[in-house]
Amino acid sequence: MATKIYIDQGHNPNPPNTGAEGNGYREQDITYEIGIRLAQLLNQNPNFETRLSRPTRSTQLGTSNSSSLRARVNDANSWGADYFISIHTNASVSQSAVGTEVLVYRSPSRASELANDVLVQIVNASGFPNRGVKQRPGLYVLRNTSMPAILIEVGFISNPQEASLMANNPSLFARAIYNGILDYLNLS
C-alpha cells in the first residue's frame, strides 16, 4: 500500500491567512510552487500517494486564519494521511537572518526523525545554514494532526539571497524534501 503524504502549501493566495512578503516575493507563491513540484516527484514513485492543501494557485482555504488551518488539518486527518508536511518560508526584521529549520510537535518522535532527514537534505542542496529541528507544540497544524507532522521553514524570504533561490528554483527544494522523505523511509 502506498504511503499517503499530505502536502500543505502554507498560507492562502489572498486574505485571510496570507504569508510573509519580502524582496518582491510572497510566501504563499513560493510554498505553492515547492509543493506542486514535491507532489509531482512523489506521484512518479509508486510508493506514494499525495494530496495537496492547495491543488491550484487560486485555492483558498477558510474564511479566517483559524478556519484556514482547521481546513488543512481536517482534510489530512479525514483522508488518512500517513505524514503531514507543511511548507513555509521564514521572515525576520533583519535581512541577515538565514537558514532552514523544521518544526515538530515533540522530540524525539517519528516526526522529528523525518524532520531531521528533510532538514539535512535541504541544507545540503541549498547551502543554507542548518537552524535545527525545533519543538513547537503550540502550532495548530502540528498539534491537531493525527499523523506525524512537520512544518518546514525552508529559508528566509526576508533575506535577498535565500528569497531569490526559493522563488527561482522551487524544484531544488522539492527534490531535497523528497530525498529527505526517501531517507526517512529507507527508500533511497
Side-chain angles (χ1 to χ4, degrees):
M1 184 189 292
T3 300
K4 296 167 82 171
I5 307 284
Y6 191 90
I7 302 166
D8 173 36
Q9 301 124 302
H11 301 285
N12 278 329
N14 300 297
N17 195 25
T18 54
E21 295 186 17
N23 296 292
Y25 302 111
R26 297 180 342 144
E27 178 176 8
Q28 57 269 37
D29 298 333
I30 292 171
T31 62
Y32 173 79
E33 293 298 333
I34 294 171
I36 286 291
R37 286 163 175 78
L38 175 59
Q40 290 168 346
L41 289 168
L42 288 164
N43 288 333
Q44 291 170 4
N45 185 324
N47 293 301
F48 298 105
E49 182 181 348
T50 65
R51 181 176 285 190
L52 292 158
S53 64
R54 291 175 45 214
T56 69
R57 185 178 300 283
S58 61
T59 300
Q60 187 81 14
L61 298 163
T63 57
S64 67
N65 282 355
S66 60
S67 66
S68 176
L69 297 173
R70 190 168 42 254
R72 297 159 197 272
V73 167
N74 289 347
D75 191 33
N77 287 342
S78 65
W79 182 53
D82 295 303
Y83 297 95
F84 182 96
I85 297 175
S86 191
I87 303 168
H88 292 262
T89 69
N90 220 333
S92 172
V93 294
S94 170
Q95 287 189 343
S96 63
V98 293
T100 302
E101 62 190 25
V102 184
L103 311 176
V104 297
Y105 181 74
R106 75 172 156 273
S107 183
S109 64
R110 288 172 49 210
S112 66
E113 292 170 15
L114 171 61
N116 189 65
D117 287 337
V118 168
L119 177 62
V120 166
Q121 287 291 338
I122 293 173
V123 167
N124 288 344
S126 67
F128 292 178
N130 183 331
R131 295 173 58 93
V133 174
K134 300 177 180 178
Q135 293 185 126
R136 290 289 298 278
L139 293 179
Y140 188 92
V141 298
L142 301 179
R143 186 177 72 243
N144 292 290
T145 46
S146 58
M147 71 289 304
I150 66 173
L151 189 150
I152 306 164
E153 295 282 7
V154 176
F156 279 83
I157 199 168
S158 50
N159 177 281
Q161 291 79 26
E162 290 192 358
S164 178
L165 187 59
M166 290 185 296
N168 294 309
N169 197 350
S171 294
L172 174 84
F173 298 96
R175 173 68 65 180
I177 297 166
Y178 174 73
N179 288 339
I181 294 168
L182 293 181
D183 287 349
Y184 171 73
L185 295 172
N186 295 311
L187 295 172
S188 48

